[in-house]
Amino acid sequence: MSTTYRVQNPATDEIVETFDAATDAEVEGALAKAAAAYREWSARPMSERAEIVARVAALFAERKEELAKIAAEEMGKPISEGIEEAEFSAAIIKYYADNGEEFTKDQSIPTGANGTAVIRRLPIGPLLGIMPWNFPYYQIARFVGPNLVLGNTIVLKDAEICPRSALAVQKIMDDAGIPEGVYNNIFATHDQISTIIADPRIQGVSLTGSERAGSIVGAQAGQHLKKAVLELGGSDPYILLDTDDVKEAAKLAWTTRMYNTGQACNSNKRMIVMEDIYDEFVAELTKLAEAAKAAPADAQGENTYSCLSSRGAAENLHDQIQRAVKEGATLRAGGELADKGAFISPAVITDIPVGSDIYYEEFFGPVAVVYKVSSDEEALELANNTQFGLGGTVFSKDTERAAAISRRLEVGMANVNTPAGEGEELPFGGVKRSGFGRELGPLGMDEFVNKQMYYVEG
């Protein structure tokens, strides 16, 4: 069988280790174990499940340096950001261990009938998770945290370039005392994923990934009548109406855009700036881009940038930048592809023609795209002129002015005077072609759940 899972250091393009994809027998084994384990796991008291899941959270925190080093070699994540990701993953999982019983308590329904009625929130069975490479721990945490506490079991397919991350998470589950079959990492092929979705033992599927992948998985889930949660791409607007300090505003916008080397679904991919501060803002971004220097993941500091996840990702981003210039955009800085590895210098682009094909594409990497507007209405119109609807933010000294625009953003997450509201308690998800469903917060525990009406006569 051909090998599809690999550790390929994006800084050097060197293939460090390879892993065979699962056999069909191994896939069947994972499904059988998840189904068998569900009966016992879901029957346990939630307090008992939560106690075990809390140990999972503790091990994420305890092993944060090890996890960060794995992610750095697999997909180029700076070590400091990998540690932050592992810490956040621990916080997310602990949040559901601490709050699961509150989030799933019976909900009374007033009724005029001669009886009592409640909504009970119950598990539904084995679930399939299909996770991406850009946050190899956080993405898993926000899926498994609520569902393990709820009593569902998991079959987890991680990204093909993150096999060591996947195995590290499996070891955390095992070492924390998660029973066999409750969490099953599987190096499945795309064809096997289709088989898993179709299998009657699987009751739902969660995917975080590209719009294309979401379309395929969503169609398959629909065909087989499975509940799906899809978190897909984004082209989030970042509106700057006014500021007392353009330099600081530009620095915040830049550091936000460069986080995870620009490879975040909800990054500020379209900066929309009022015309009276636009020139100074773009000049500051250009300075920051020109000062940025390439550095290894373990040697990141101020004014440094890491590589993208793969040479292919870097080449694709470079092609997008070149197509934008051909369409009439101005490349103010950066956008240079290294001869080797997945390094591409952070770029600043202006004047992408609104309505062009490239305007509607997502730039998944260190590219600051800036647009000039002359009114609040123009800013709002431009912000909503996208097929995506993940998040968006509005900055202004006048909070109500910013809030008035933010309330009309066609997004799942609207923010005022901050790049993004983030925390384990804050729901995450989008509308339009950014997908559907929510993760994190109380809503994250309300997706793969049987909202059972329970009525007692008399």
Side-chain angles (χ1 to χ4, degrees):
M1 177 175 288
S2 63
T3 298
T4 57
Y5 286 77
R6 69 203 177 280
V7 178
Q8 188 166 2
N9 189 331
T12 63
D13 222 25
E14 173 194 3
I15 295 178
V16 179
E17 187 176 7
T18 58
F19 298 79
D20 287 335
T23 64
D24 291 344
E26 288 170 334
V27 169
E28 168 57 30
L31 288 167
K33 288 193 295 182
Y38 172 71
R39 291 191 290 273
E40 191 275 335
W41 182 245
S42 62
R44 294 192 186 200
M46 183 175 286
S47 59
E48 187 176 323
R49 293 195 298 265
E51 184 178 349
I52 299 173
V53 173
R55 293 202 292 268
V56 173
L59 287 178
F60 264 96
E62 181 182 311
R63 298 177 184 178
K64 59 187 179 183
E65 287 88 359
E66 172 193 341
L67 296 174
K69 289 177 182 177
I70 292 171
E73 185 167 35
E74 286 184 327
M75 49 74 64
K77 186 185 294 288
I79 292 291
S80 61
E81 294 182 14
I83 290 173
E84 289 175 358
E85 181 183 344
E87 291 173 338
F88 193 18
S89 300
I92 291 167
I93 295 169
K94 183 68 161 54
Y95 173 79
Y96 287 106
D98 290 345
N99 295 286
E101 290 193 274
E102 175 66 22
F103 293 159
T104 56
K105 67 182 181 182
D106 288 353
Q107 177 184 342
S108 179
I109 304 173
T111 174
N114 183 30
T116 58
V118 298
I119 297 295
R120 301 198 299 188
R121 285 172 165 78
L122 307 174
I124 61 172
L127 306 174
L128 170 64
I130 305 171
M131 297 295 116
W133 48 261
N134 57 333
F135 291 94
Y137 309 118
Y138 158 73
Q139 304 282 6
I140 292 177
R142 66 187 198 178
F143 169 57
V144 304
N147 285 301
L148 289 178
V149 173
L150 184 65
N152 294 321
T153 56
I154 306 294
V155 176
L156 199 291
K157 187 269 183 200
D158 212 343
E160 293 174 12
I161 66 170
C162 293
R164 286 181 180 171
S165 297
L167 294 175
V169 173
Q170 179 72 69
K171 183 163 176 36
I172 284 175
M173 297 291 173
D174 295 343
D175 291 350
I178 295 291
E180 183 180 5
V182 172
Y183 182 91
N184 307 272
N185 177 74
I186 188 81
F187 289 157
T189 66
H190 293 168
D191 286 345
Q192 288 170 336
I193 287 299
S194 299
T195 300
I196 294 170
I197 293 173
D199 193 285
R201 289 168 289 192
I202 290 293
Q203 298 302 307
V205 55
S206 178
L207 174 137
T208 298
S210 68
E211 184 185 0
R212 178 176 175 274
S215 178
I216 294 170
V217 168
Q220 292 175 348
Q223 177 186 351
H224 298 288
L225 303 178
K226 306 293 176 72
K227 170 65 183 288
V229 169
L230 303 177
E231 197 274 278
L232 310 178
S235 188
D236 289 11
Y238 185 99
I239 302 173
L240 181 60
L241 300 177
D242 55 59
T243 178
D244 285 329
D245 192 334
V246 175
K247 183 176 182 179
E248 280 301 309
K251 184 177 181 181
L252 177 61
W254 180 257
T255 55
T256 300
R257 186 67 187 98
M258 293 304 118
Y259 193 80
N260 204 36
T261 321
Q263 301 165 116
C265 299
N266 63 328
S267 186
N268 51 335
K269 299 194 178 83
R270 292 179 300 136
M271 302 178 194
I272 300 169
V273 182
M274 205 58 69
E275 60 183 356
D276 59 329
I277 55 175
Y278 172 86
D279 288 341
E280 185 180 354
F281 182 86
V282 170
E284 288 295 332
L285 287 185
T286 303
K287 287 180 186 177
L288 291 166
E290 290 173 343
K293 305 296 181 186
D298 60 355
Q300 292 289 308
E302 192 171 358
N303 297 329
T304 63
Y305 64 92
S306 189
C307 53
L308 295 192
S309 62
S310 68
R311 177 71 185 186
E315 290 175 346
N316 180 67
L317 186 64
H318 182 258
D319 175 68
Q320 286 182 295
I321 293 170
Q322 296 303 308
R323 285 191 288 116
V325 171
K326 289 180 180 178
E327 291 277 3
T330 302
L331 179 60
R332 305 284 185 122
E336 297 178 1
L337 180 65
D339 293 334
K340 184 180 180 182
F343 287 95
I344 187 167
S345 58
V348 177
I349 300 179
T350 60
D351 311 309
I352 293 180
V354 176
S356 63
D357 289 344
I358 193 66
Y359 167 82
Y360 290 105
E361 293 186 19
E362 177 183 19
F363 287 80
F364 210 66
V367 180
V369 180
V370 194
Y371 298 89
K372 178 167 61 175
V373 293
S374 58
S375 69
D376 292 13
E377 281 299 319
E378 185 183 0
L380 178 65
E381 181 180 359
L382 185 60
N384 287 335
N385 186 4
T386 174
Q387 62 188 340
F388 297 109
L390 192 53
T393 189
V394 188
F395 286 84
S396 176
K397 293 180 291 183
D398 183 343
T399 301
E400 183 48 45
R401 179 188 178 193
I405 295 178
S406 73
R407 283 191 287 266
R408 297 168 65 190
L409 291 176
E410 297 168 355
V411 298
M413 301 174 288
N415 306 278
V416 172
N417 289 337
T418 181
E422 292 186 338
E424 58 270 20
E425 75 283 4
L426 299 179
F428 189 105
V431 295
K432 301 195 315 194
R433 296 188 73 85
S434 288
F436 43 78
R438 293 295 181 268
E439 295 180 297
L440 300 179
L443 300 184
M445 205 164 193
D446 220 26
E447 291 289 352
F448 296 105
V449 60
N450 174 12
K451 301 179 183 71
Q452 183 190 74
M453 191 285 293
Y454 181 67
Y455 180 81
V456 179
E457 180 74 15

